[in-house]
Amino acid sequence: MYGRGLAVKKNNAVSHLEVLFSAPSNLILTKAKIMSSYGEDAAAQIASEVVNNDYAIALELCVQCALGEKSTWGPYLDVLPSHVSNLETFSSAELALLESPSLEKLGKQMQERTARQYSKVEGLIRKMAEVTAEKIGMPKTEIKDSCLAFESFRHYTSIVGSRAMVISGEKHLTPLADMPNYEPKNDGRTMANGQDFMKYHVLGDDGSMTVKSDREFGSGQQVFEDYGDNPNSLYLEAHGFVPFSNPFDCADVPNPPIANDDVLSVMKNLKIVEGPQNYCPPACVKSDGVIEANTRSYAYYAVAALAKFPTKLKYCAVNMEDPAYAGSACIRWGGNKVAVAELVVEAAQEATKNFETGIAEDEKLAKTLEGNEALAIMYRLSKKRILFDVASSVAASPGEKKVTALSDDPTPLVEKVEKFNAFIESLNFPVNYLTAYVAGAEQRVGTKANRNIVAGEPYITVPNVAVMSSDTAETDSDLVNDLIGRGKSMNDDFHTLLFFTMYERFVSKRKSKWWPYLTLLPTLEDYQEYHPNFFSDSKLEGLLGSPLREKILANQGKIKRQFNGVSGDVAVLEAFGKAWTEENYTWAMTVLDSRSIWWSGKRHLVPLLDLINCQQGPEGSTVHATNLDSSGDNAVTLAPWSFKEGEQVFENYGQPNHIYFLFHGFVLESNMHDCSLVTASIGPNDVGAANMDELKRRMQEGGFNSYSAEFCVSEDNVKEETKKFMNFMSIKNGVAKAGVEVGVEHIEAQLRKYPEVEPLADDVGFDEKCMRSIVEGEKNMLRLVLSSLKQLGGAGEL
């Protein structure tokens, strides 16, 4: 079934990420290497006439074939398959059996493209063979002409297409690395454009290729590889096989027709459809009914589903022309996943009605056929199985994303606090007037004074050695310490501390010196209940219209992108193993963003100090600050106001409520530092953007460092912020002084973004109360800006 492959040697075993072998550079074929091995004329001809890497490498294989036994590549050529049943080898009748117009068209294009390419290089291939023969002292008369013929060229083109791998945008044909057969890992990973495959195939600085195992194998077992997150169409097109199992396979479903003019208007405005036929490529749906998010197809289905939700469609229509809001209003609206899933089921049901044969008939037919005909039937069977599975399913509600709670420490919270206090005692703080305790409700854990505390006096002094930071980061793992050292050398303070925290929490666990502190921190489940990093689109509907919703979505996206980026580093995977998950990474990001205390330009996790909850202080109180003492050995915090023994101790973090909610998941009812966001942006179609040099000059003069400006407005600064806002609007409109009506129109448009809402029920959660408080505060400030605009305009101050 598999032909040739690789196996683990007897009495050996292979672990995940273990190096299987390293192929030296001189055994790897690339277009650039091939060009460098010939004279200038031939190299120039290859560069100008060979249209892609596959054809260039195929030329060299033809040449080596023509050298016969005198080719150093002979042993490799001898083990290559004599035939690859890729799409290019299919006849018109065989292509028709696929029942896929797009693949049928592609197969014919591949055949035509290869024929055109050979007609251009027929003379070149002969020249390359003669040059090589002369180098090794072989008479030209011994060159095998059959190896230089079109059939040979097409054969080796299919060999390269099925065996070479793309690294850094260039095809590499690597003997031995091309031998493992395909078998999916089924590890539940999401599609990441082949990033997972690259973890196990590393190109060295010297041009060598190191191949690592993507799973464990025992003695004598065949070594398989997961070729990446590809659909079956790619495996048939390039490799000439149809997998028995492929978690990334998908089947095209027709886009549901749009009968609602308002929905169609949104699709045109967002450029989801194009042309007179309002075309959008069909969606490719997996067997679980999922269309990949962040794709044009998903956007089509999400907007199409708005036809059933007039209120949400209206909100989308109000926001669709604002790039900052259009995506969340029209695509990532609350409930979009469920609605899209329902539409996909309906579309799959329509698609199955058009099949001339069913699954049972095709299975019976496949057993009677061979070669390309059998492959074609197997391919269309894989698609039909997906569509029938989806069509027969009931669209399941994805609901809120549930994250597995940390179950590795079931100790009750009260006991955790007791152990933590004992841990703090062991650290011998020079000054410590605090004791941790269970504060209850939304505060969970807090601190209380263990003696009277006087405002302005040091009430906690923490030695540097008792702090988790990039300076103290050191673990019992050489691999993690290497990552930490690399982070320090790159001045990546954030990831240095993140790696340290993740390893101690998820790998070392109870063996870690920091365990009493780390196990007291909120768990994944705790954060899911109240922290925006874990909120679903539906949950965030409490912030509809608010710029804060866009900030939260952007922050969630940033965390995901950073995780995917760091996950491409094999050293990270080796260091953390199974503990390296998106959930654990997001937990660590949330801990650092919500609990870090800064001094000397660096962030620190400070046991006990970071348990102090936030509150607005009395008149004369100060905002939190921690600084090193004169010795540089201890971090000192002065009391922001006075506390009696036994009272809960608070600090004023000195931030507006939208910052508290974004990074901490709470708001303060009384907050002297609160202000609400008013936003404006300059786009390429604005008059002010016509002359970029002038725009940059005016932006610099106005103190604006971004084309998206934020004005944080409070009752105390409304006049000053309104003037700044109008200066920005003047720049946006390309005038020296914009009229008041320009500002009024913008603010009124921002107010219209907020939908009408019902009063909150008495039993709603803390998070919903926080979001409603923020939204109401923003609307009040926008109305205050409107009033200020009219007053300042009437007084001639704008």
Side-chain angles (χ1 to χ4, degrees):
M1 182 171 61
Y2 290 108
R4 294 184 174 90
L6 291 184
V8 180
K9 291 180 179 180
K10 292 290 177 68
N11 302 317
N12 285 272
V14 173
S15 60
H16 179 232
L17 283 168
E18 183 174 345
V19 173
L20 295 173
F21 54 85
S22 290
S25 175
N26 65 324
L27 286 185
I28 302 173
L29 284 178
T30 66
K31 181 179 180 180
K33 286 183 182 179
I34 293 167
M35 289 172 58
S36 67
S37 67
Y38 290 92
E40 291 185 5
D41 291 345
Q45 198 172 349
I46 294 172
S48 63
E49 295 183 2
V50 180
V51 298
N52 61 37
N53 292 341
D54 286 25
Y55 290 139
I57 299 174
L59 284 175
E60 182 63 19
L61 293 181
C62 287
V63 168
Q64 296 301 323
C65 169
L67 300 180
E69 294 180 356
K70 294 186 178 179
S71 170
T72 56
W73 288 84
Y76 174 64
L77 298 182
D78 288 344
V79 299
L80 292 177
S82 59
H83 178 75
V84 177
S85 296
N86 69 353
L87 209 55
E88 190 171 344
T89 67
F90 279 50
S91 67
S92 296
E94 290 164 347
L95 287 172
L97 288 175
L98 293 167
E99 295 184 353
S100 170
S102 60
L103 278 188
E104 186 174 354
K105 181 179 179 181
L106 177 61
K108 292 176 180 178
Q109 289 175 338
M110 290 170 67
Q111 294 167 1
E112 293 167 359
R113 188 165 58 238
T114 300
R116 284 197 305 270
Q117 179 66 90
Y118 182 76
S119 67
K120 285 185 176 182
V121 299
E122 189 173 0
L124 172 63
I125 194 172
R126 167 67 61 177
K127 182 191 299 184
M128 291 170 63
E130 291 177 353
V131 168
T132 306
E134 184 177 352
K135 283 182 182 179
I136 63 174
M138 173 180 165
K140 294 180 182 179
T141 55
E142 293 183 13
I143 293 174
K144 294 183 177 180
D145 292 338
S146 60
C147 291
L148 307 181
F150 172 69
E151 285 304 321
S152 176
F153 177 69
R154 186 167 71 172
H155 167 64
Y156 283 117
T157 295
S158 68
I159 289 288
V160 177
S162 67
R163 304 179 84 85
M165 59 188 74
V166 180
I167 300 179
S168 301
E170 187 178 22
K171 277 285 184 80
H172 295 70
L173 183 63
T174 309
L176 204 63
D178 63 349
M179 293 295 286
N181 289 306
Y182 170 83
E183 187 176 85
K185 290 188 293 183
N186 293 316
D187 54 0
R189 71 181 189 276
T190 57
M191 186 173 285
N193 298 316
Q195 189 179 71
D196 184 76
F197 182 79
M198 302 315 299
K199 297 174 187 175
Y200 307 100
H201 301 81
V202 182
L203 198 63
D205 293 336
D206 60 355
S208 64
M209 171 81 70
T210 298
V211 178
K212 302 183 180 185
S213 177
D214 69 6
R215 70 198 78 178
E216 295 178 352
F217 294 102
S219 171
Q221 286 188 322
Q222 182 175 177
V223 174
F224 291 101
E225 276 189 343
D226 189 322
Y227 291 176
D229 36 12
N230 308 303
N232 284 358
S233 56
L234 179 66
Y235 294 129
L236 179 60
E237 171 197 338
H239 298 270
F241 73 90
V242 177
F244 294 107
S245 171
N246 180 6
F248 293 99
D249 193 24
C250 59
D252 287 349
V253 289
N255 293 325
I258 305 302
N260 186 308
D261 290 340
D262 292 333
V263 169
L264 186 58
S265 174
V266 172
M267 287 191 172
K268 289 180 177 179
N269 190 280
L270 298 182
K271 295 182 172 53
I272 296 171
V273 297
E274 59 187 3
Q277 302 300 318
N278 296 318
Y279 174 76
C280 177
C284 204
V285 59
K286 294 194 286 189
S287 58
D288 57 4
V290 170
I291 300 173
E292 287 297 322
N294 302 317
T295 61
R296 185 173 165 191
S297 293
Y298 189 91
Y300 184 100
Y301 272 76
V303 175
L306 285 172
K308 298 179 181 179
F309 303 92
T311 302
K312 295 182 187 294
L313 177 57
K314 181 180 178 182
Y315 179 72
C316 164
V318 169
N319 289 280
M320 67 179 179
E321 296 188 10
D322 187 337
Y325 285 79
S328 62
C330 301
I331 300 169
R332 289 194 63 177
W333 46 273
N336 71 88
K337 293 180 181 178
V338 176
V340 166
E342 291 173 349
L343 268 186
V344 166
V345 170
E346 294 173 10
Q349 290 169 345
E350 283 298 312
T352 56
K353 294 177 182 178
N354 299 322
F355 292 144
E356 294 182 5
T357 57
I359 290 177
E361 292 174 85
D362 280 354
E363 288 176 337
K364 184 177 180 180
L365 179 61
K367 294 176 181 179
T368 67
L369 300 174
E370 295 179 343
N372 290 352
E373 290 181 331
L375 272 178
I377 302 302
M378 288 170 63
Y379 175 80
R380 81 188 196 194
L381 258 173
S382 70
K383 303 303 173 182
K384 288 180 181 179
R385 288 189 180 112
I386 290 174
L387 291 176
F388 274 107
D389 283 348
V390 175
S392 62
S393 67
V394 176
S397 169
E400 299 292 334
K401 182 182 179 183
K402 294 294 180 184
V403 209
T404 305
L406 291 173
S407 57
D408 47 10
D409 188 4
T411 307
L413 186 59
V414 173
E415 289 184 34
K416 288 183 179 181
V417 170
E418 291 174 356
K419 292 179 180 179
F420 174 77
N421 282 326
F423 167 68
I424 293 297
E425 282 290 323
S426 71
L427 296 176
N428 297 316
F429 289 6
V431 177
N432 179 20
Y433 299 163
L434 301 175
T435 301
Y437 81 111
V438 178
E442 289 82 20
Q443 294 181 345
R444 189 172 169 272
V445 178
T447 59
K448 58 185 176 183
N450 57 34
R451 53 154 281 180
N452 291 336
I453 296 176
V454 178
E457 74 171 7
Y459 75 107
I460 180 169
T461 300
V462 184
N464 284 332
V465 294
V467 170
M468 295 187 75
S469 68
S470 58
D471 292 330
T472 62
E474 186 175 8
T475 73
D476 60 8
S477 165
D478 291 339
L479 293 175
V480 176
N481 289 339
D482 287 344
L483 291 175
I484 289 171
R486 193 169 71 185
K488 289 180 180 179
S489 68
M490 298 170 63
N491 293 318
D492 187 354
D493 173 62
F494 183 84
H495 273 99
T496 300
L497 181 53
L498 182 136
F499 289 147
F500 181 30
T501 305
M502 281 189 67
Y503 183 81
E504 296 298 302
R505 177 59 187 86
F506 298 112
V507 182
S508 288
K509 299 182 182 179
R510 285 175 172 81
K511 295 186 297 181
S512 171
K513 159 190 172 180
W514 306 99
W515 181 249
Y517 166 61
L518 295 172
T519 193
L520 190 61
L521 297 178
T523 64
L524 288 166
E525 189 175 52
D526 292 328
Y527 277 138
Q528 183 187 359
E529 293 302 316
Y530 73 86
H531 201 286
N533 281 353
F534 296 88
F535 284 6
S536 66
D537 297 339
S538 296
K539 200 164 191 175
L540 285 173
E541 290 227 310
L543 287 173
L544 285 179
S546 170
L548 182 57
R549 183 173 192 259
E550 312 311 312
K551 283 182 171 292
I552 291 170
L553 291 172
N555 198 48
Q556 290 178 349
K558 182 189 79 171
I559 293 172
K560 191 174 188 69
R561 287 192 303 275
Q562 288 186 344
F563 171 75
N564 289 336
V566 179
S567 296
D569 188 337
V570 176
V572 173
L573 302 181
E574 290 178 316
F576 286 93
K578 294 180 180 179
W580 186 258
T581 66
E582 186 174 348
E583 288 78 13
N584 289 349
Y585 183 87
T586 306
W587 175 88
M589 287 275 288
T590 305
V591 166
L592 265 60
D593 280 343
S594 64
R595 309 186 78 86
S596 291
I597 296 171
W598 289 77
W599 65 79
S600 301
K602 293 183 178 181
R603 65 178 73 232
H604 308 76
L605 292 179
V606 188
L608 191 61
L609 183 57
D610 71 349
L611 294 182
I612 301 173
N613 289 308
C614 183
Q615 188 180 84
Q616 172 66 47
E619 187 175 349
S621 61
T622 59
V623 171
H624 169 83
T626 295
N627 296 288
L628 290 178
D629 63 12
S630 57
S631 70
D633 295 330
N634 303 289
V636 181
T637 305
L638 306 181
W641 62 91
S642 297
F643 300 91
K644 294 179 180 179
E645 182 178 355
E647 285 184 340
Q648 181 172 185
V649 176
F650 292 96
E651 288 269 13
N652 187 340
Y653 300 171
Q655 298 292 337
N657 277 347
H658 68 269
I659 295 294
Y660 287 146
F661 193 70
L662 176 62
F663 293 112
H664 301 269
F666 71 84
V667 300
L668 296 179
E669 289 186 20
S670 174
N671 183 2
M672 66 179 294
H673 297 282
D674 196 24
C675 56
S676 295
L677 293 175
V678 175
T679 60
S681 61
I682 298 174
N685 297 324
D686 287 321
V687 176
N691 185 329
M692 290 303 296
D693 290 336
E694 176 65 9
L695 174 61
K696 291 175 182 176
R697 183 191 68 77
R698 293 191 66 182
M699 290 279 288
Q700 187 174 14
E701 285 183 356
F704 302 110
N705 55 18
S706 171
Y707 296 128
S708 296
E710 293 178 352
F711 307 90
C712 209
V713 182
S714 67
E715 292 182 1
D716 295 332
N717 71 7
V718 62
K719 183 175 179 180
E720 177 185 351
E721 290 298 299
T722 300
K723 288 181 177 180
K724 290 180 183 176
F725 163 71
M726 284 305 298
N727 184 21
F728 187 83
M729 296 303 292
S730 299
I731 298 172
K732 174 183 173 73
N733 287 274
V735 296
K737 195 173 185 180
V740 171
E741 68 281 358
V742 173
V744 169
E745 181 181 353
H746 183 89
I747 299 300
E748 288 180 342
Q750 192 161 335
L751 272 169
R752 286 195 296 272
K753 293 180 185 296
Y754 297 93
E756 295 182 9
V757 293
E758 297 291 331
L760 291 177
D762 294 336
D763 60 348
V764 298
F766 178 68
D767 52 349
E768 292 182 73
K769 292 177 182 177
C770 289
M771 289 188 282
R772 180 60 61 88
S773 172
I774 289 168
V775 165
E776 292 304 318
E778 287 175 349
K779 293 196 291 189
N780 289 336
M781 285 302 107
L782 286 169
R783 296 185 188 104
L784 193 61
V785 172
L786 277 180
S787 177
S788 178
L789 279 169
K790 294 171 183 177
Q791 290 176 4
L792 293 172
E797 295 185 49
L798 290 178

